[in-house]
């Protein structure tokens, strides 16, 4: 009982410190320790926080670790679920806060636009962005997930969505979860296939962005294809 009271007092002090100063006042192990309170209700979470940081090297690496890796590090399923929520909620927060609906897309900074959308994604995904004749976002969403190569990118779906939303401009992006943001031959072939398919319906492919580990590369800027478009 005495130990419970000690932990309770420590947790309350940590929460009060956070509410007063935010996470700027915390070391990484303290921030992780406090987060773990919500998955481990009674035990001292300081040793677990230190163990996870020693195992994975940084707090971001802890959040990016797979569920199996976290289990191997000795955490429960509930704790692993909580840790995996952090990148997902980060992406959800940024997506909502900087929602581009009814705003013109900055086509000169599409890499910045897409990097946020791949936060916390540990599997490959393809995201399609569509804009109207004035350059406003009319659709943005994941259109494919899983192990993606040139034959898996849903070109027909890209065309159908472009027609449905009466888009003038499209942009696609996909990630390399375990690699670098370097276009493969398949990426180049896919880009050209999408470009040709959209050209037949008078929609311009503005770019194909590859995202990996917070980095991004534009295939249009790499010279894979030319993209010229203007807005009303």
């Amino acid at each position: 009982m005495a130990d419970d009271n000690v932990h309770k007092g420590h947790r309350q002090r940590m929460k009060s410190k956070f509410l007063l100063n935010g996470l700027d006042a915390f070391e990484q192990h303290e921030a992780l320790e406090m987060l773990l309170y919500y998955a481990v209700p009674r035990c001292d979470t300081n040793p677990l926080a230190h163990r996870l940081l020693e195992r994975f090297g940084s707090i971001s690496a802890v959040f990016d670790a797979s569920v199996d890796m976290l289990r191997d590090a000795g955490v429960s399923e509930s704790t692993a679920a909580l840790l995996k929520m952090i990148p997902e909620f980060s992406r959800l927060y940024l997506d909502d806060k900087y929602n581009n609906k009814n705003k013109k897309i900055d086509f000169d900074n599409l890499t910045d636009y897409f990097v946020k959308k791949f936060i916390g994604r540990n599997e490959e995904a393809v995201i399609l962005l569509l804009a109207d004749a004035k350059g406003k976002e009319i659709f943005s969403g994941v259109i494919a997930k899983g192990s993606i190569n040139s034959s898996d990118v849903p070109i027909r779906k890209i065309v159908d969505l472009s027609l449905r939303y009466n888009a003038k401009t499209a942009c696609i992006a996909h990630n390399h979860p375990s690699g670098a943001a370097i276009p493969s031959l398949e990426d180049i072939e896919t880009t050209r296939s999408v470009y040709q398919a959209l050209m037949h319906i008078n929609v311009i492919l503005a770019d194909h962005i590859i995202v990996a580990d917070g980095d991004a590369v534009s295939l249009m800027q790499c010279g894979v294809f030319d993209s010229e478009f203007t807005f009303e």
Side-chain angles (χ1 to χ4, degrees), residues 24-84:
D24 289 338
F26 286 72
E27 299 292 333
Q28 282 199 358
H29 72 275
E30 293 176 313
L32 185 55
E33 173 191 346
M34 191 172 71
L35 177 65
L36 291 168
Y37 293 167
Y38 300 95
V40 186
R42 290 185 176 81
C43 298
D44 180 5
T45 58
N46 183 275
L48 177 57
H50 277 287
R51 189 166 74 246
L52 289 171
L53 287 170
E54 289 169 4
R55 174 78 172 261
F56 297 106
S58 69
I59 197 165
S60 61
V62 172
F63 297 146
D64 286 339
S66 69
V67 172
D68 287 341
M69 292 169 67
L70 291 169
R71 284 175 174 164
D72 288 343
V75 305
S76 68
E77 184 178 73
S78 294
T79 302
L82 175 67
L83 294 172
K84 296 305 297 177

Side-chain angles (χ1 to χ4, degrees), residues 106-122:
D106 183 359
F107 282 90
D108 292 327
N109 292 294
L110 283 171
T111 53
D112 293 341
Y113 174 91
F114 281 110
V115 164
K116 297 192 294 288
K117 293 186 176 293
F118 287 96
I119 293 173
R121 295 192 189 278
N122 295 318

Side-chain angles (χ1 to χ4, degrees), residues 4-221:
D4 285 346
N5 290 333
V6 169
H7 292 317
K8 183 177 180 181
H10 174 67
R11 289 186 177 205
Q12 187 55 55
R13 287 191 294 274
M14 291 281 278
K15 291 174 186 176
S16 297
K17 179 181 175 181
F18 168 73
L19 292 173
L20 184 63
N21 300 300
L23 288 179
D24 289 338
F26 286 72
E27 299 292 333
Q28 282 199 358
H29 72 275
E30 293 176 313
L32 185 55
E33 173 191 346
M34 191 172 71
L35 177 65
L36 291 168
Y37 293 167
Y38 300 95
V40 186
R42 290 185 176 81
C43 298
D44 180 5
T45 58
N46 183 275
L48 177 57
H50 277 287
R51 189 166 74 246
L52 289 171
L53 287 170
E54 289 169 4
R55 174 78 172 261
F56 297 106
S58 69
I59 197 165
S60 61
V62 172
F63 297 146
D64 286 339
S66 69
V67 172
D68 287 341
M69 292 169 67
L70 291 169
R71 284 175 174 164
D72 288 343
V75 305
S76 68
E77 184 178 73
S78 294
T79 302
L82 175 67
L83 294 172
K84 296 305 297 177
M85 282 184 191
I86 300 304
E88 298 280 344
F89 270 106
S90 297
R91 185 180 72 245
L92 184 64
Y93 169 81
L94 290 170
D95 235 6
D96 181 71
K97 187 174 180 66
Y98 301 106
N99 192 318
N100 279 280
K101 291 292 185 185
N102 300 318
K103 297 178 183 177
K104 285 191 175 182
I105 299 297
D106 183 359
F107 282 90
D108 292 327
N109 292 294
L110 283 171
T111 53
D112 293 341
Y113 174 91
F114 281 110
V115 164
K116 297 192 294 288
K117 293 186 176 293
F118 287 96
I119 293 173
R121 295 192 189 278
N122 295 318
E123 64 175 351
E124 291 187 44
V126 178
I127 294 176
L128 173 66
L129 167 66
L130 299 175
D132 65 13
K134 295 183 179 180
K136 291 182 179 180
E137 177 183 315
I138 51 178
F139 174 85
S140 181
V142 176
I143 58 170
K145 280 185 176 182
S147 180
I148 297 162
N149 55 43
S150 60
S151 62
D152 295 323
V153 173
I155 296 177
R156 183 63 196 173
K157 188 171 185 179
I158 292 171
V159 170
D160 288 345
L161 286 168
S162 298
L163 289 169
R164 183 188 308 171
Y165 285 91
N166 194 27
K168 178 178 180 180
T169 308
C171 181
I172 56 173
H174 80 280
N175 58 331
H176 291 174
S178 58
I182 298 173
S184 66
L185 289 176
E186 285 187 333
D187 293 333
I188 293 170
E189 290 172 0
T190 299
T191 303
R192 289 173 175 161
S193 296
V194 173
Y195 180 85
Q196 292 291 331
L198 289 175
M199 190 169 64
H200 287 306
I201 59 169
N202 296 316
V203 175
I204 294 183
L205 180 65
D207 212 336
H208 181 177
I209 306 294
I210 299 175
V211 177
D213 197 23
D215 189 19
V217 168
S218 158
L219 269 69
M220 193 269 289
Q221 292 179 5

